[in-house]
PDB file of all heavy atoms in Angstrom:
ATOM      1  N   SER Q  25     132.563 159.769  48.189  1.00 95.00           N
ATOM      2  CA  SER Q  25     133.542 159.583  49.268  1.00 95.00           C
ATOM      3  C   SER Q  25     134.958 159.677  48.736  1.00 95.00           C
ATOM      4  O   SER Q  25     135.813 160.351  49.310  1.00 95.00           O
ATOM      5  CB  SER Q  25     133.356 158.215  49.924  1.00 95.00           C
ATOM      6  OG  SER Q  25     132.179 158.191  50.662  1.00 95.00           O
ATOM      7  N   LEU Q  26     135.191 158.994  47.607  1.00 95.00           N
ATOM      8  CA  LEU Q  26     136.529 158.981  47.021  1.00 95.00           C
ATOM      9  C   LEU Q  26     136.931 160.387  46.598  1.00 95.00           C
ATOM     10  O   LEU Q  26     138.078 160.805  46.806  1.00 95.00           O
ATOM     11  CB  LEU Q  26     136.539 158.030  45.812  1.00 95.00           C
ATOM     12  CG  LEU Q  26     137.887 157.452  45.433  1.00 95.00           C
ATOM     13  CD1 LEU Q  26     138.470 156.648  46.564  1.00 95.00           C
ATOM     14  CD2 LEU Q  26     137.750 156.590  44.189  1.00 95.00           C
ATOM     15  N   GLN Q  27     135.957 161.111  46.049  1.00 95.00           N
ATOM     16  CA  GLN Q  27     136.223 162.478  45.604  1.00 95.00           C
ATOM     17  C   GLN Q  27     136.645 163.357  46.781  1.00 95.00           C
ATOM     18  O   GLN Q  27     137.655 164.072  46.697  1.00 95.00           O
ATOM     19  CB  GLN Q  27     134.948 163.027  44.964  1.00 95.00           C
ATOM     20  CG  GLN Q  27     135.101 164.402  44.352  1.00 95.00           C
ATOM     21  CD  GLN Q  27     133.745 165.005  44.035  1.00 95.00           C
ATOM     22  OE1 GLN Q  27     132.713 164.560  44.539  1.00 95.00           O
ATOM     23  NE2 GLN Q  27     133.745 166.012  43.196  1.00 95.00           N
ATOM     24  N   ILE Q  28     135.892 163.257  47.883  1.00 95.00           N
ATOM     25  CA  ILE Q  28     136.244 164.058  49.066  1.00 95.00           C
ATOM     26  C   ILE Q  28     137.633 163.676  49.559  1.00 95.00           C
ATOM     27  O   ILE Q  28     138.455 164.529  49.886  1.00 95.00           O
ATOM     28  CB  ILE Q  28     135.215 163.856  50.200  1.00 95.00           C
ATOM     29  CG1 ILE Q  28     133.827 164.263  49.732  1.00 95.00           C
ATOM     30  CG2 ILE Q  28     135.601 164.660  51.434  1.00 95.00           C
ATOM     31  CD1 ILE Q  28     132.734 163.967  50.739  1.00 95.00           C
ATOM     32  N   ALA Q  29     137.903 162.353  49.587  1.00 95.00           N
ATOM     33  CA  ALA Q  29     139.201 161.890  50.089  1.00 95.00           C
ATOM     34  C   ALA Q  29     140.336 162.455  49.238  1.00 95.00           C
ATOM     35  O   ALA Q  29     141.329 162.969  49.771  1.00 95.00           O
ATOM     36  CB  ALA Q  29     139.245 160.373  50.110  1.00 95.00           C
ATOM     37  N   VAL Q  30     140.185 162.377  47.902  1.00 95.00           N
ATOM     38  CA  VAL Q  30     141.256 162.849  47.018  1.00 95.00           C
ATOM     39  C   VAL Q  30     141.448 164.355  47.176  1.00 95.00           C
ATOM     40  O   VAL Q  30     142.572 164.841  47.354  1.00 95.00           O
ATOM     41  CB  VAL Q  30     140.942 162.486  45.547  1.00 95.00           C
ATOM     42  CG1 VAL Q  30     141.918 163.175  44.613  1.00 95.00           C
ATOM     43  CG2 VAL Q  30     140.993 160.994  45.350  1.00 95.00           C
ATOM     44  N   LEU Q  31     140.325 165.092  47.140  1.00 96.00           N
ATOM     45  CA  LEU Q  31     140.416 166.552  47.282  1.00 96.00           C
ATOM     46  C   LEU Q  31     141.086 166.935  48.595  1.00 96.00           C
ATOM     47  O   LEU Q  31     141.971 167.783  48.633  1.00 96.00           O
ATOM     48  CB  LEU Q  31     139.021 167.172  47.230  1.00 96.00           C
ATOM     49  CG  LEU Q  31     138.430 167.412  45.849  1.00 96.00           C
ATOM     50  CD1 LEU Q  31     137.016 167.944  45.970  1.00 96.00           C
ATOM     51  CD2 LEU Q  31     139.292 168.403  45.085  1.00 96.00           C
ATOM     52  N   SER Q  32     140.660 166.273  49.692  1.00 96.00           N
ATOM     53  CA  SER Q  32     141.207 166.642  50.996  1.00 96.00           C
ATOM     54  C   SER Q  32     142.687 166.310  51.075  1.00 96.00           C
ATOM     55  O   SER Q  32     143.451 167.012  51.727  1.00 96.00           O
ATOM     56  CB  SER Q  32     140.452 165.942  52.116  1.00 96.00           C
ATOM     57  OG  SER Q  32     140.800 164.586  52.159  1.00 96.00           O
ATOM     58  N   LEU Q  33     143.091 165.226  50.381  1.00 96.00           N
ATOM     59  CA  LEU Q  33     144.510 164.880  50.415  1.00 96.00           C
ATOM     60  C   LEU Q  33     145.333 165.898  49.634  1.00 96.00           C
ATOM     61  O   LEU Q  33     146.418 166.289  50.071  1.00 96.00           O
ATOM     62  CB  LEU Q  33     144.750 163.474  49.860  1.00 96.00           C
ATOM     63  CG  LEU Q  33     146.131 162.968  50.227  1.00 96.00           C
ATOM     64  CD1 LEU Q  33     146.147 162.494  51.658  1.00 96.00           C
ATOM     65  CD2 LEU Q  33     146.608 161.886  49.295  1.00 96.00           C
ATOM     66  N   VAL Q  34     144.804 166.346  48.483  1.00 96.00           N
ATOM     67  CA  VAL Q  34     145.532 167.339  47.681  1.00 96.00           C
ATOM     68  C   VAL Q  34     145.671 168.643  48.467  1.00 96.00           C
ATOM     69  O   VAL Q  34     146.767 169.195  48.608  1.00 96.00           O
ATOM     70  CB  VAL Q  34     144.811 167.581  46.340  1.00 96.00           C
ATOM     71  CG1 VAL Q  34     145.438 168.748  45.604  1.00 96.00           C
ATOM     72  CG2 VAL Q  34     144.867 166.325  45.487  1.00 96.00           C
ATOM     73  N   ILE Q  35     144.545 169.107  49.029  1.00 97.00           N
ATOM     74  CA  ILE Q  35     144.587 170.348  49.819  1.00 97.00           C
ATOM     75  C   ILE Q  35     145.504 170.171  51.024  1.00 97.00           C
ATOM     76  O   ILE Q  35     146.356 171.013  51.317  1.00 97.00           O
ATOM     77  CB  ILE Q  35     143.169 170.737  50.293  1.00 97.00           C
ATOM     78  CG1 ILE Q  35     142.261 170.958  49.092  1.00 97.00           C
ATOM     79  CG2 ILE Q  35     143.208 171.992  51.158  1.00 97.00           C
ATOM     80  CD1 ILE Q  35     140.803 171.152  49.457  1.00 97.00           C
ATOM     81  N   GLY Q  36     145.342 169.026  51.714  1.00 96.00           N
ATOM     82  CA  GLY Q  36     146.149 168.761  52.898  1.00 96.00           C
ATOM     83  C   GLY Q  36     147.635 168.728  52.582  1.00 96.00           C
ATOM     84  O   GLY Q  36     148.449 169.272  53.330  1.00 96.00           O
ATOM     85  N   THR Q  37     148.005 168.099  51.453  1.00 95.00           N
ATOM     86  CA  THR Q  37     149.418 168.020  51.086  1.00 95.00           C
ATOM     87  C   THR Q  37     149.985 169.407  50.826  1.00 95.00           C
ATOM     88  O   THR Q  37     151.079 169.737  51.304  1.00 95.00           O
ATOM     89  CB  THR Q  37     149.593 167.152  49.822  1.00 95.00           C
ATOM     90  OG1 THR Q  37     148.970 165.905  50.041  1.00 95.00           O
ATOM     91  CG2 THR Q  37     151.052 166.954  49.499  1.00 95.00           C
TER      92      THR Q  37
END
Side-chain angles (χ1 to χ4, degrees):
Chain Q
S25 289
L26 204 60
Q27 185 193 17
I28 301 174
V30 170
L31 278 176
S32 74
L33 195 78
V34 171
I35 300 172
T37 306

